[in-house]
Amino acid sequence: MALFRLSSLCLLSVHKALETSSAALPCSPIPTSPAPTTNTTATGFNTSCIGGRRRRRWALVSKSGRGVRTVECRAAVVEDVDEEVLVPAEAEAEEAAEEYDWRQEWYPLYLTAQVPDDAPLGLTVFDKQVVLYRDGAGVLRCYEDRCPHRLAKLSEGQLVEGRLECLYHGWQFEGEGKCVKIPQLQEGGKIPRAACVRTYEVRNSQGVVWVWMSEKNPPNDEKLPWFEHYAKPGFQDTSTIHELPYDHSILLENLMDPAHVPISHDRTDWTAKREDAQPLVFTVTERSSRGFAGHWGRSKNPALMNFLRFQAPCVLSNDLEFVDKAGVKQYFSALFLCRPTGQGKSMLIVRFGASSRSPVFNLVPEWYFHQNACKVFEQDMGFLSSQNEVLVKERVPTKELYLNLRSSDTWVAEYRKWMDKVGHGMPYYFGHSSLSPPKQPAVVEQAPVGLVAGISASFPAKGGVGTQHAPNPANRYYRHVVHCKGCRSVVKTFQAWKQTLVLLSLAAVASAILASAQQWKVVLLASAALFLAGSSVCSFVVSLITTNFIRTHRRL
């Protein structure tokens, strides 16, 4: 049942993920009046510097009027607090910046099986817009998403006989970006050499399309990620794609944080329970410009340890190996491929695999696992989006804002410190002790509200009633279904069944009215009721896959 939980919850571990201990924030009182204070009220918050480092201060004022007491909570000053609780100070030593260029990397574009066969696909890596498509021979091609004629997006175009056509003036491109047709060209005229598009190298590896972003160096296949477990014979996996409205660094940070699972995803399935929150054990075994790795596990079960690896710039894997009761070694893997898609945006490819899985797994339809994965990311969406907003607004390193605990946040601290090493080679970054924020604030796409939102959620398909004119990040259809052939097919199928059952119900009611025999009236009306019930089930499934999500504990 471990894999069942993995595939349905889309989380880091295959056993019960655990949360941090509720350690109290250490504070040091600094009396400013000899008189004791009672019934104190927080009257202000400010930051000051001690030895070049910021600290937070709450001023507590006595209502009795006999004096003022100031309490300092040095949230980010590690050396001033209990090192048994927070990430140790010695781990914060700054290291020399290493050579790094975000362009000299492979980025996960899409699941190979989900790439459309009949349309181009517009995608982004940081601020670079690319278009991915299959040509007439089925070969994957990737171009800059810009027509050289008038800069129109090629992803808005169409495929004509295996060639990518710009929908503005009909220019067509093929192969290595060569323009092969300009409808407006006079007879006998030659296509200009400059009428070509910039190309990017792509690789189809283990079911994922990867793109090499460098414009000056040839692809380095040694950097192309390879996942050993997914190459094992008989290894089975379930994969999904999700668009998310927050930065890819926050997404990675969240995925390498098993401590939040029991709280944020309480009762999402039978393995996530808030009462199971507990301290975690971490051991870092590797650090380099290519990332870091180490083991982690629950303090109550230290014998069962996961192995986590962050591989620059987008890959996070969490593996678990153990010997079952039959003496056979079993492998479980959670793989997260996180692509930056712009400021405050990211796209996640989730892959969960195992060397064996419970027969119960085969009884549950795949779309159910996909919608449950959507539910998990929706549960995180509110506080991660707000976290994104704070980082952009405050414009200070995370050590000034985060209170990283030993027993829960080791990987988070490691990731932000890795940013310190290589962030200078990225368009923007927020490190542990350094940063280079984006010049412009994150763009947040606003969702419609009220009646428009309700109609859009009920009819989310392109071209349907209440079509949204901009993607709604709160809607499952735009975050996942548009990227999943299986879920799109399920939505269409259930919508067709719903319409058919409604028509059958109406026909049964009409027949019951016309029927003269009492027994036929009863049979027809009962049939109409069954048809309506079936229609309701179809509506429920469509809603489950596509609707906006609302946390029940926040519903007003």
Side-chain angles (χ1 to χ4, degrees), residues 30 33-34 78 96 107 188 216 234 318 331 366 392 402:
I30 302 178
S33 171
V78 176
Y107 290 83
K216 59 182 181 180
N318 191 85
Y331 303 92
E366 189 175 62
V392 172
Y402 288 7

Side-chain angles (χ1 to χ4, degrees), residues 292-369:
F292 57 86
H295 296 89
W296 72 271
R298 297 174 294 170
S299 58
K300 295 181 181 179
N301 188 11
L304 192 62
M305 298 294 287
N306 295 261
F307 183 74
L308 179 139
R309 177 181 295 279
F310 166 65
Q311 182 177 347
C314 296
V315 178
L316 183 70
S317 60
N318 191 85
D319 299 322
L320 179 65
E321 300 179 5
F322 66 93
V323 178
D324 62 18
K325 295 180 180 179
V328 179
K329 194 170 187 178
Q330 300 291 348
Y331 303 92
F332 293 91
S333 175
L335 183 60
F336 304 97
L337 310 178
C338 309
R339 172 165 51 85
T341 59
Q343 295 180 37
K345 302 176 185 178
S346 56
M347 176 170 278
L348 171 65
I349 296 176
V350 186
R351 306 191 73 182
F352 292 100
S355 53
S356 65
R357 58 189 184 187
S358 169
V360 176
F361 184 93
N362 298 321
L363 300 178
V364 181
E366 189 175 62
W367 63 261
Y368 179 82
F369 291 125

Side-chain angles (χ1 to χ4, degrees), residues 247-282:
D247 189 72
H248 92 288
S249 68
I250 291 178
L251 171 59
L252 277 165
E253 192 180 84
N254 173 254
L255 293 170
M256 61 179 67
D257 173 25
H260 83 284
V261 174
I263 304 299
S264 303
H265 309 300
D266 180 34
R267 266 68 182 186
T268 300
D269 76 354
W270 62 274
T271 62
K273 301 177 182 178
R274 62 184 305 108
E275 56 267 26
D276 286 337
Q278 62 185 272
L280 303 177
V281 179
F282 299 90

